[in-house]
Amino acid sequence: MGKIYGIDLGTTNSCISVLQEGRPHIIPVDGNGIVPSVVSLDGTNLLVGRKAWNRAAAFPEQTIRSVKRLMGTMEKLTLGGKEYEPEDISAMILRYLCDEAHKIEGREIENVVITVPAYFSDAQRRATMEAGKRAGLAVERIINEPTAAALFYDHVFASYGEPDLKNSSAKGSRPAPSQRTGEEYALVYDLGGGTFDVSVLRMGEIIEVLASTGDTHLGGDDFDKRIVTRILRQIKEKDGLDLEDHVPAVARLNAVAEKAKISLSEKASVRIEETHIPAPKGNCTVSMELSREEFESMTEDFVDRTVASVEKAMEEAQLSAEKIGKVLLVGGMTRMPVIAARLEKIFGSARMPVVDPDLSVANGAAIQGGIISGENCEQILVDVTPHTLSLESISFDFERLECAPIIPRNTQIPVTRARTFGTVSYHQKAAELKVYQGESHFPEDNTLIGETYLELAPAEAHCPIVVEYSYDLNGIVHMVAEQKGYSRKTEVRIDSRNPQLFSSQGLKEIEGDTENEDEEEIEVEVEEGANAINFVTQHARNMLSKMPAGEKKDVLAETLARYERALLDDGDDGNNVDEIEDELLSLMEEEIEVADEDADDNADEE
Ligand code: AMP
């Protein structure tokens, strides 16, 4: 395999890096390697990067920015009267990076690792892969941005002792891995143009992501908007003009606001002076002073939100602030002094090394590329699932639908997990299978990422259905559902951007596995609710919570405990999952019958 390049496909800027003699090097596309993720049309000429960015303020209608925010959606973008999908625009950026890097390096670029925010959903990851494909690239791996940053930090740290992370080619003697200072935890705080991510990692011989959280809709653009709102208010007060919906004015002001925000990272105050703000009847002007203090208080809620996520990530990793050895700041927005100041209050300044926030993600991706192609095998990357993946099931009391987790959030990937559910009724014809991602117990609060149904052979109620989810290294989900012992199986390819395409790849029978097969023709009709499937253990737990104390309850609790142990052992240690499951189901059935009889008796008495 040839070189694998690392690409940070950012909301605002993108970067491409490659490993040379074991060290990552940013390829200086557009001068310094920080390439605006902007596409613009100049006549029939398609411009990408810095040249496109230069046109953004003057020709907003012919320019597309922040397309990363739309990845994974069905939204269409128009450029020169032509409609594009977000993947097409991202593909243009990727193609531009690779073409320009080719000109500089003299080497054709075919294989890449692309980074995404850890919080990106399955659809967003898929869309990113698709963009790579449309750019004619082989996407070897999608990795999380904070993970890439930590990988870069760890690489430099392991290679050259005390890190000089501003300069990835830092010289120094390379201690053997065993000479490292030992295991420690790092927190990566990544605030970019459009997204925020925070991850807690264990940094040892293996870099392991312990927790990852964030906000896909919080970034530098939001901070800019607050300044734009302030300017628009001033124009309204001064000239009586409402330019909020005037696209050319807002585009111009976005650029003005971003410039002011960046200046405020260096200066205590800036003068915003603009004489060419496009308005419906000629230009208008703005002149105002903005202090860093004012700007910080205008945007304090955003910073608070990021700090809350930091606390959440530590809680999920079950680590206190004292345990965090290093806090790495990533993303252009972390140049705002208030960010470091807020984090210093929690972690202290000694634990915050200077990392170049713009380049470390691409460099980490290049290191990952090197690891895949066999160039650098020191680190093994362990990544985690950003969301819980669950299956919709019906609650024990039949009153509502619930999400039964199959792969919990922050499980190391790649992972395959299966859970057993049960049918609701005798001779149930089909089971609806709805895959959700999200942390809520309730489907309506989570995101539906795939659905299909499994045609069932006639069977008793509670017939077990094993549903298996696989989450691969790119964070993409595959589902297999099987009616146990009845040779009914379905596999689903999930494309969450288009629910209609969420169909199964065809219901098929497993050859040779025909025990209990009933040859009766099955008509499939999926009725709302009636075909939902139950989560056996969840039902049993619900049942236990409602049972009065006594021998029956003890027996059910003991059987459930044995069943759960058997599921975990997956049939090892002489456990027979099927047998215990049958035992559990018949106990539950008995209990349901008793409850029904009691209910009938009560009704009769009334
Ligand atoms: P990224 O997505 O990591 O490229 O970050 C881009 C974001 O960082 C944009 O919102 C920029 O305006 C912002 N940014 C870049 N440099 C600075 C700076 N010196 N101070 C504040 N924000 C900055």
Side-chain angles (χ1 to χ4, degrees):
M1 183 183 281
K3 287 254 179 220
I4 300 178
Y5 287 69
I7 297 180
D8 169 8
L9 186 60
T11 310
T12 323
N13 298 306
S14 296
C15 238
I16 180 164
S17 175
V18 68
L19 219 56
Q20 286 170 2
E21 292 163 15
R23 295 174 200 174
H25 283 267
I26 296 290
I27 304 172
V29 176
D30 274 4
N32 62 359
I34 300 173
V35 180
S37 307
V38 183
V39 173
S40 186
L41 202 65
D42 184 3
T44 53
N45 227 356
L46 193 77
L47 302 173
V48 184
R50 180 96 14 225
K51 283 186 191 149
W53 187 87
N54 290 339
R55 287 173 50 83
F59 303 100
E61 281 100 348
Q62 287 141 43
T63 306
I64 296 173
R65 301 175 54 170
S66 303
V67 68
K68 187 170 174 178
R69 284 194 158 182
L70 301 178
M71 292 295 272
T73 70
M74 298 298 287
E75 218 157 303
K76 296 277 189 295
L77 298 132
T78 313
L79 201 59
K82 223 178 133 187
E83 273 200 346
Y84 293 95
E85 289 181 336
E87 290 91 324
D88 296 319
I89 305 298
S90 290
M92 290 174 196
I93 299 166
L94 289 170
R95 198 58 259 161
Y96 176 78
L97 283 170
C98 293
D99 286 346
E100 293 302 302
H102 175 201
K103 284 183 204 158
I104 297 166
E105 290 258 294
R107 207 182 344 213
E108 197 75 53
I109 298 167
E110 285 165 4
N111 307 81
V112 294
V113 167
I114 305 177
T115 60
V116 295
Y119 217 64
F120 250 25
S121 66
D122 178 57
Q124 290 164 308
R125 285 165 198 267
R126 263 181 193 287
T128 306
M129 288 196 87
E130 178 61 26
K133 213 164 114 192
R134 291 186 195 181
L137 298 166
V139 183
E140 300 294 335
R141 189 77 56 87
I142 298 280
I143 66 167
N144 291 334
E145 287 160 11
T147 309
L151 188 58
F152 172 56
Y153 170 81
D154 191 57
H155 175 86
V156 180
F157 180 57
S159 304
Y160 315 111
E162 218 11 68
D164 171 6
L165 294 156
K166 286 224 158 188
N167 177 8
S168 66
S169 348
K171 296 266 183 298
S173 62
R174 185 185 180 88
S178 57
Q179 289 176 289
R180 287 198 207 168
T181 51
E183 183 177 279
E184 64 171 2
Y185 299 98
L187 182 136
V188 181
Y189 177 105
D190 180 353
L191 186 58
T195 53
F196 171 65
D197 268 321
V198 56
S199 299
V200 178
L201 307 107
R202 186 183 284 130
M203 310 270 286
E205 287 306 308
I206 290 175
I207 297 179
E208 186 184 350
V209 183
L210 301 178
S212 221
T213 183
D215 197 329
T216 43
H217 291 278
L218 178 62
D221 297 352
D222 300 294
F223 287 68
D224 301 345
K225 268 188 208 137
R226 289 275 162 94
I227 303 182
V228 171
T229 307
R230 171 69 62 95
I231 301 175
L232 285 171
R233 204 166 62 218
Q234 202 212 53
I235 293 172
K236 202 168 182 181
E237 280 164 12
K238 184 170 67 76
D239 304 324
L241 284 173
D242 188 349
L243 298 179
E244 207 178 324
D245 299 321
H246 191 56
V247 177
V250 174
R252 178 88 209 121
L253 291 179
N254 276 334
V256 169
E258 187 183 13
K259 204 167 140 215
K261 173 190 72 180
I262 291 173
S263 296
L264 286 173
S265 293
E266 302 292 327
K267 299 180 193 161
S269 182
V270 286
R271 176 116 221 118
I272 300 174
E273 205 82 62
E274 191 58 41
T275 51
H276 290 92
I277 302 167
K281 291 179 189 159
N283 289 346
C284 71
T285 62
V286 68
S287 171
M288 63 185 260
E289 190 75 22
L290 182 65
S291 71
R292 183 189 287 173
E293 203 182 337
E294 247 182 309
F295 178 52
E296 285 176 2
S297 90
M298 275 156 65
T299 52
E300 199 179 359
D301 57 320
F302 292 146
V303 182
D304 287 347
R305 259 162 73 185
T306 68
V307 170
S309 292
V310 165
E311 279 158 4
K312 189 172 161 213
M314 286 194 294
E315 204 180 297
E316 277 180 12
Q318 296 183 339
L319 289 173
S320 60
E322 299 75 56
K323 287 264 187 218
I324 305 288
K326 288 278 177 286
V327 178
L328 309 180
L329 300 187
V330 179
M333 280 299 295
T334 59
R335 293 190 195 274
M336 255 181 89
V338 70
I339 304 289
R342 285 290 293 275
L343 294 172
E344 269 175 33
K345 274 194 194 151
I346 308 173
F347 300 102
S349 58
R351 285 184 273 165
M352 296 175 60
V354 185
V355 189
D356 187 317
D358 296 309
L359 308 180
S360 47
V361 170
N363 279 332
I367 294 167
Q368 177 68 65
I371 293 169
I372 297 170
S373 64
E375 275 187 76
N376 178 324
C377 297
E378 273 188 12
Q379 287 88 7
I380 304 161
L381 207 58
V382 181
D383 229 330
V384 295
T385 53
H387 304 280
T388 297
L389 289 171
S390 52
L391 187 79
E392 186 179 89
S393 63
I394 196 161
S395 68
F396 172 66
D397 53 14
F398 289 86
E399 277 184 6
R400 61 167 305 136
L401 294 169
E402 296 175 338
C403 278
I406 295 186
I407 300 181
R409 171 184 159 79
N410 287 332
T411 303
Q412 285 180 13
I413 55 173
V415 62
T416 297
R417 289 261 171 98
R419 300 212 82 143
T420 306
F421 296 75
T423 53
V424 175
S425 53
Y426 173 75
H427 276 207
Q428 185 171 317
K429 290 178 179 169
E432 261 188 315
L433 301 162
K434 288 187 170 180
V435 184
Y436 280 88
Q437 72 181 13
E439 308 319 308
S440 173
H441 290 305
F442 307 118
E444 59 271 28
D445 301 328
N446 290 332
T447 311
L448 177 68
I449 65 161
E451 67 180 314
T452 185
Y453 63 84
L454 173 64
E455 191 179 339
L456 300 172
E460 295 297 315
H462 308 310
C463 171
I465 293 173
V466 178
V467 180
E468 182 184 277
Y469 287 0
S470 297
Y471 204 105
D472 71 15
L473 282 167
N474 296 315
I476 284 162
V477 186
H478 304 267
M479 173 175 75
V480 181
E482 188 180 352
Q483 184 184 15
K484 260 181 127 188
Y486 286 85
S487 62
R488 300 285 166 158
K489 187 175 174 184
T490 183
E491 286 177 37
V492 182
R493 188 183 142 72
I494 293 173
D495 182 346
S496 56
R497 288 164 304 149
N498 192 346
Q500 293 93 292
L501 294 182
F502 258 91
S503 57
S504 69
Q505 288 172 337
L507 301 167
K508 53 182 180 191
E509 295 194 357
I510 312 162
E511 270 176 47
D513 183 9
T514 52
E515 59 172 310
N516 297 333
E517 178 66 64
D518 187 326
E519 292 302 326
E520 185 189 324
E521 269 286 298
I522 298 160
E523 264 177 41
V524 177
E525 55 183 63
V526 182
E527 288 163 34
E528 193 57 26
N531 297 306
I533 56 177
N534 277 345
F535 187 26
V536 175
T537 52
Q538 193 176 329
H539 275 205
R541 273 195 220 119
N542 270 329
M543 188 173 265
L544 274 172
S545 71
K546 289 173 190 165
M547 277 170 81
E551 196 187 334
K552 271 187 174 174
K553 184 172 181 167
D554 295 344
V555 173
L556 186 63
E558 184 273 327
T559 314
L560 173 62
R562 246 182 325 122
Y563 177 62
E564 287 183 324
R565 271 202 308 277
L567 281 178
L568 281 178
D569 292 344
D570 217 10
D572 291 349
D573 301 333
N575 277 321
N576 186 334
V577 181
D578 295 349
E579 267 175 28
I580 307 174
E581 191 170 79
D582 286 347
E583 226 178 287
L584 184 66
L585 289 171
S586 60
L587 284 172
M588 288 165 70
E589 233 163 293
E590 261 172 44
E591 185 54 33
I592 291 171
E593 275 163 24
V594 172
D596 286 349
E597 278 165 19
D598 287 352
D600 288 346
D601 291 349
N602 288 342
D604 290 347
E605 277 168 28
E606 278 168 26

